[in-house]
Amino acid sequence: MENNQSNTANRELRLTRTLDAPIELVWEVWTQPEHIAQWWGPDGFTNTISKMEIKQEGEWDLVMHGPDGTDYKNKSVFKEIVPLKKIVYEHVSSPKFVATIEFEEQGEQTSLSWHMLFESHEQFVQVVKTFKADEGLKQNIEKLNQYLKEASKR
Amino acid sequence: MKARRDVYQAVADPTRRAIINMIATQPHNVNTIAANFDVTRQAISLHIQILADCGLINVKQQGRDRICEARLDQLSEISAWVDQYRQHWESKIDSLEKYVVQLKNERNGKQSK
C-alpha cells in the first residue's frame, strides 16, 4: 500500500531554509521582540508584541496590524526552549497548531527547519480553506490598490 | 443544515479519506468497500454519495455491482491551496532571511546589498 504515511502527514507543513547568518544572530532575531516585529507577518503588516517570555510555558502575545487597519491577535505559549537549538510554541488562538523551529549551525550559516502541526486534518483543511478565502480577498485589495495607484497617476 | 458540498468537505471526514485511499489505485464495488469498514453499509453508501457529489469519485453500475473509481484530479485543488498556504509561510522566512542578513551586514560594518 502506498498510504503508509505517518498519521500526521495530512495535517502538517514543514519548511527548511539555510540562512546566511551565524546561529547566534538567527537565534537573537527569533527571540527578541524588537527584532521579531521587523520581520513577522505578511508584507505591509506591522506588529506589536506586548509579551514574549522565552521560557517554558512563557506567553507570547503578538498583534499583527494589517494594511487595512485590521488587527489580528495571536496568542501563543512556548512549550520548549533550547537555546540555539529549538523553539516549540503552541498557537493557542485560532488556528490552533504547534510550531517547532529547529536551528542547526553550519559554519557561518544556519539551517532552519520550521514545522507546523495542526490538531487534525479537518482543522488544517479549514485553515487552508480560510486562507484561500483570505488570499482571494487580499489579492482583490491588492488589485484595487494597484488600480488606484495607476488611476492617480493619470 | 446542509453544507455546500465541495472537495474540502469530502476530505474532511476520516472514513471518506480512507475510501478514497482504498480506491485510489483500483476501482472497487460498494460491497467490497463496505466490508472494509466497521460502520454500517448505509453509512458507507452515504459517504460514497457525498464523494460522488463532490466529484471525487465516479460510481458506475455494472450488472448488479456498483463500481467506485477515484477521480484524483479533483484533489489537486486542495494541494494547490496547501501550496499557497505554504508559500505564505515561506514568505515569512524570506523576510526573516532578508532581515537577518541585513543585520549581519550592519554589524560587520558592511554595506548591505
Side-chain angles (χ1 to χ4, degrees), chain B residues 1-2 8 23 25 30 32 41 44 51 73 85 88 98 109:
Chain B
M1 191 190 93
K2 189 170 178 290
Y8 294 95
I23 63 173
T25 42
V30 177
T32 315
R41 203 190 122 79
I44 293 296
L51 288 170
D73 52 329
Y85 185 67
H88 161 77
K98 237 167 50 191

Side-chain angles (χ1 to χ4, degrees), chain B residues 44-61:
Chain B
I44 293 296
S45 279
L46 181 62
H47 283 311
I48 287 173
Q49 185 61 52
I50 291 172
L51 288 170
D53 287 352
C54 296
L56 284 175
I57 64 174
N58 282 334
V59 185
K60 291 188 306 210
Q61 193 75 36

